[in-house]
Amino acid sequence: MLDAGTGSGRLALMLAPLCRAVVGVDRDAKLIDEARRQAAAAGLSNVRFVVGDVEVEEYAPFKPDLVAAYLCMSDAIAERAGRALRAGQVFAFVALHTDQWKETGRPSRFAYGETGARRLLKRTGFTVDHLEVERDVKAFASVEEGLAAAVGLQEKWKVDGRWFRYVKFLEDGGRTLTRAHLVVKARKA
Ligand SMILES: C[S@@+](CC[C@H](N)C(=O)[O-])C[C@H]1O[C@@H](n2cnc3c(N)ncnc32)[C@H](O)[C@@H]1O
C-alpha cells in the first residue's frame, strides 16, 4: 500500500499489520521522522516512510497494489494513482467535501463534490465501487454556542477570511456548522 500524504503515519501504521508492505509518503520531514519513530516503537518491519511530494513524484516505482489518501487529495494524486495501479487495483481516499464548513461561504480549494469526484475518477481510469458523504452537522441554540464551537478555528479562519463570514451567518440567524467528508473506494478499470 502507498499512503499518500501520510503525515505522522496514522493510516500506514494502522494498516501495516494487514499489508505485505506499506510505504508512507509526505513532504513534511518532521512528520516523517515521527512516523518512523512510531513504526520502530511498534516493531513494524514492513512499513517505511519517505519524504516526497505526492503531487510531483510518480508512484509506479513503489509498485503499489493499493493507493490510499486520507485528507490529502488532489487531481494530481488521482492522476498518479491512475498511472501506477493495474486493472482491478484499488484507490481509496477520504477528501474534504464541498459542504465542509459551508456556513463560512467558502469551500476549501481541496474539497470535492460527488460529481467532481466521479468525473475525476473516470478521467483517471477508475470505476467507483463506493462513494458516500459523511456529514456531521452541529446545531446551536445561540450565536454564543456557534462561536464556541469554532473557537479552535478562529485564528486560521481570521487569516483566510472565513471567520467574519461565519459570524455574519450566525448573526443572520444561522445555527449550524457542517463538517463533511467524501469517502471513496475506486478500482482501476
Ligand atoms: C490533513 S493531513 C493528513 C495526514 C494523514 N493522512 C492522517 O490521516 O493523519 C495532510 C497531510 O498531507 C501532506 N501533504 C499535503 N500535500 C502534500 C504533497 N503534495 N506531497 C506530500 N505530502 C503532502 C501534509 O504534509 C500533511 O501531512
Side-chain angles (χ1 to χ4, degrees):
M1 179 184 87
L2 169 70
D3 181 21
T6 193
S8 55
R10 207 161 48 124
L11 186 66
L13 295 165
M14 198 187 301
L15 295 183
L18 304 174
C19 296
R20 187 165 44 82
V22 177
V23 58
V25 183
D26 202 285
R27 64 183 171 195
D28 186 327
K30 281 203 184 104
L31 293 177
I32 288 294
D33 279 347
E34 174 56 24
R36 285 177 181 149
R37 259 195 301 279
Q38 290 194 35
L44 292 168
S45 57
N46 66 335
V47 53
R48 66 191 173 100
F49 291 99
V50 175
V51 178
D53 190 325
V54 293
E55 294 176 290
V56 173
E57 287 169 33
E58 291 296 328
Y59 306 164
F62 296 113
K63 297 188 173 58
D65 298 329
L66 165 70
V67 174
Y70 189 89
L71 294 182
C72 177
M73 176 56 191
S74 67
D75 288 15
I77 291 171
E79 286 158 8
R80 280 156 183 73
R83 287 199 282 268
L85 294 173
R86 296 186 303 279
Q89 295 182 331
V90 167
F91 173 38
F93 66 88
V94 175
L96 291 179
H97 182 263
T98 40
D99 281 351
Q100 169 90 352
W101 298 334
K102 64 179 180 181
E103 295 80 359
T104 65
R106 209 179 120 181
S108 162
R109 63 196 172 92
F110 303 113
Y112 286 88
E114 292 94 313
T115 308
R118 283 187 191 278
R119 198 179 304 129
L120 170 66
L121 289 166
K122 188 170 180 203
R123 175 171 74 74
T124 49
F126 292 98
T127 55
V128 174
D129 275 3
H130 179 87
L131 185 148
E132 78 175 291
V133 182
E134 282 186 351
R135 259 175 243 280
D136 173 26
V137 183
K138 295 246 179 309
F140 313 115
S142 63
V143 172
E144 291 69 28
E145 252 185 51
L147 292 175
V151 83
L153 295 162
Q154 188 172 351
E155 289 313 309
K156 177 173 144 50
W157 280 6
K158 276 190 175 161
V159 173
D160 67 19
R162 284 191 172 102
W163 181 252
F164 299 102
R165 294 188 204 205
Y166 180 57
V167 172
K168 176 144 185 4
F169 167 81
L170 293 171
E171 284 173 352
D172 289 348
R175 291 291 181 271
T176 56
L177 182 58
T178 303
R179 289 176 192 268
H181 289 168
L182 190 67
V183 181
V184 178
K185 180 182 167 201
R187 205 172 281 279
K188 188 73 194 296

